[in-house]
Amino acid sequence: MSWIENRFEEGLMLTTVDWALNWARTYSIWPLTFGLACCAIEMMATGMSRWDLDRFGAGAYRATPRQADLMIVAGTVTYKMASRLKRLYNQMGEPKYVMAMGACTVGGGPYFKHGYHVVKGVDLIVPVDVYVPGCPPRPESLLEGLMRLQDIIGHASRAKDPVVDANRRLLST
Amino acid sequence: MSPEEICSALQETFGAAITEAALEGAHPHAVVRADKWPEVARFLRDDPAMGFDLLRCISSVDLQDESKLACVYDLLALSSVSATETMSARHQFAVRVCTERDDPHIPTVADVWPAADWHEREAYDMMGIVFDNHPDLRRILCPDDWEGYPLRKDYVFPVSYHGIPGTTEHELTNPRH
């Protein structure tokens, strides 16, 4: 962009639409207040002062899916909960992201064999962007997962991969 | 009162309704016939010598080999006999009620101890025991349209539920514990 830079008065910054939108989205991920089991305790700890999720702009837990960008599925998802979880996901506005936190949501975890009521991974219900393993994961792991999500959001391009959004919608119907 | 005294008092009052007295071991209990169970329960609660005012737990048992299902009611008498013994447990006892596995029916005691309401719903949900005259006998943990009773020993795991794949390998539909 050098051909256009410094050709206007000072105080004017030039950038791309992608960069500006990604920058705004990356540092204002509002998660949904949504905890299912013991992983939610770690998620709450992550939001508190010692780890302080708000340093990364993701500390504003929203009480409604319509205001949330990120669903951290923290805990064991049962079949009974699956339909509710999907409804919450469908109520979130685009762009929306899902983080599978903990062994249960990654693939059934300790309930893989003997959990007759446990969904063997939340990616069977909603599309997952980041998997955070652990039982439960330490807050540092969750922060790492959040930063990986920020990488994904930061590299998104509305022109190059509109397919991503289309796929998402396909999966969520 | 000791478990022996409680059991002999029960046998004195109800005779043949007490089919067995299992007083050895860590968990002394009496086996009560299902059709007499509400009567026995009222006696255990209301008799001044008994005074079992707290139903601590209902445990359902799958006796697959005998083709029976059982419920074990753990009872505790909290009310004190004298003013000096406030809130100390007077005595405790347990009652076992058996029923047929093919057609399990046990009369409810939710009207005797309100705590039994949800406990019986759980026993119904997990083991399929039908509690006659229960005020609201629905599943309490599993979804309403769930098939089978998960804690029975011959339970077959669901292969899928509402389109969500369940167990991923075939032999996992009936895992051995």
Side-chain angles (χ1 to χ4, degrees):
Chain A
M1 274 220 256
S2 54
W3 62 275
I4 203 170
E5 261 169 29
N6 300 324
R7 299 185 123 205
F8 305 99
E9 71 262 38
E10 281 185 29
L12 191 75
M13 196 176 76
L14 284 172
T15 180
T16 61
V17 174
D18 265 351
W19 191 92
L21 274 177
N22 288 346
W23 174 78
R25 283 176 181 175
T26 305
Y27 301 107
S28 63
I29 309 171
W30 288 1
L32 179 61
T33 313
F34 182 52
L36 294 177
C38 26
C39 276
I41 304 293
E42 293 296 295
M43 185 177 72
M44 285 181 252
T46 316
M48 291 294 113
S49 52
R50 182 179 280 255
W51 285 280
D52 196 8
L53 197 60
D54 221 4
R55 288 179 294 163
F56 309 97
Y61 280 96
R62 307 313 292 174
T64 161
R66 302 190 195 283
Q67 295 174 353
D69 309 299
L70 166 66
M71 180 153 83
I72 303 175
V73 187
T76 315
V77 183
T78 59
Y79 288 127
K80 197 175 181 180
M81 193 68 200
S83 58
R84 280 81 164 170
L85 187 138
K86 193 162 184 173
R87 173 174 288 186
L88 284 173
Y89 178 79
N90 287 340
Q91 284 176 342
M92 287 165 66
E94 296 275 0
K96 52 190 170 184
Y97 306 92
V98 177
M99 193 188 286
M101 181 187 181
C104 296
T105 52
V106 171
Y111 306 102
F112 181 76
K113 191 170 180 188
H114 294 302
Y116 56 88
H117 61 304
V118 176
V119 178
K120 313 290 185 258
V122 75
D123 49 4
L124 297 168
I125 312 164
V126 293
V128 175
D129 294 280
V130 178
Y131 296 86
V132 182
C135 189
R138 291 217 21 110
E140 289 89 338
S141 310
L142 187 60
L143 292 178
E144 173 76 18
L146 181 79
M147 284 184 254
R148 293 291 76 77
L149 182 69
Q150 287 180 325
D151 286 349
I152 293 173
I153 300 172
H155 288 99
S157 164
R158 263 134 297 272
K160 281 179 196 158
D161 42 39
V163 190
V164 177
D165 276 359
N167 270 346
R168 253 166 201 296
R169 266 189 289 278
L170 210 70
L171 270 164
S172 65
T173 46
Chain B
M1 285 170 94
S2 69
E4 287 80 12
E5 287 169 321
I6 295 168
C7 198
S8 58
L10 282 180
Q11 277 166 332
E12 212 172 280
T13 321
F14 293 100
I18 314 297
T19 52
E20 194 191 329
L23 298 169
E24 281 81 44
H27 194 230
H29 62 272
V31 183
V32 177
R33 249 175 49 201
D35 54 331
K36 291 281 177 197
W37 166 228
E39 239 176 90
V40 178
R42 279 198 183 278
F43 173 78
L44 284 169
R45 187 192 66 175
D46 295 335
D47 189 78
M50 297 290 173
F52 286 104
D53 46 4
L54 181 67
L55 174 69
R56 283 205 287 192
C57 188
I58 298 178
S59 320
S60 54
V61 191
D62 186 1
L63 305 162
Q64 196 181 18
D65 300 335
E66 303 164 37
S67 188
K68 276 185 189 315
L69 291 171
C71 270
V72 180
Y73 299 77
D74 280 290
L75 302 168
L76 188 71
L78 268 184
S79 51
S80 57
V81 262
S82 67
T84 49
E85 284 183 60
T86 47
M87 284 310 282
S88 61
R90 205 173 357 153
H91 47 236
Q92 52 181 321
F93 197 58
V95 170
R96 173 188 281 244
V97 182
C98 291
T99 179
E100 290 308 312
R101 201 165 187 277
D102 305 327
D103 185 27
H105 281 274
I106 293 177
T108 183
V109 287
D111 49 342
V112 184
W113 295 287
D117 187 339
W118 282 18
H119 280 304
E120 287 178 349
R121 278 180 65 186
E122 192 186 359
Y124 166 70
D125 189 358
M126 294 288 126
M127 210 63 100
I129 300 169
V130 178
F131 292 91
D132 298 324
N133 299 324
H134 189 281
D136 181 28
L137 195 65
R138 286 178 296 132
R139 285 185 182 272
I140 191 168
L141 296 169
C142 288
D144 288 337
D145 59 351
W146 195 261
E147 281 174 23
Y149 303 105
L151 291 193
R152 285 203 189 183
K153 285 179 180 169
D154 57 356
Y155 177 66
V156 179
F157 280 38
V159 181
S160 76
Y161 175 76
H162 285 216
I164 307 160
T167 44
T168 48
E169 294 166 44
H170 177 66
E171 60 268 31
L172 291 181
T173 53
N174 197 0
R176 294 275 155 241
H177 295 270

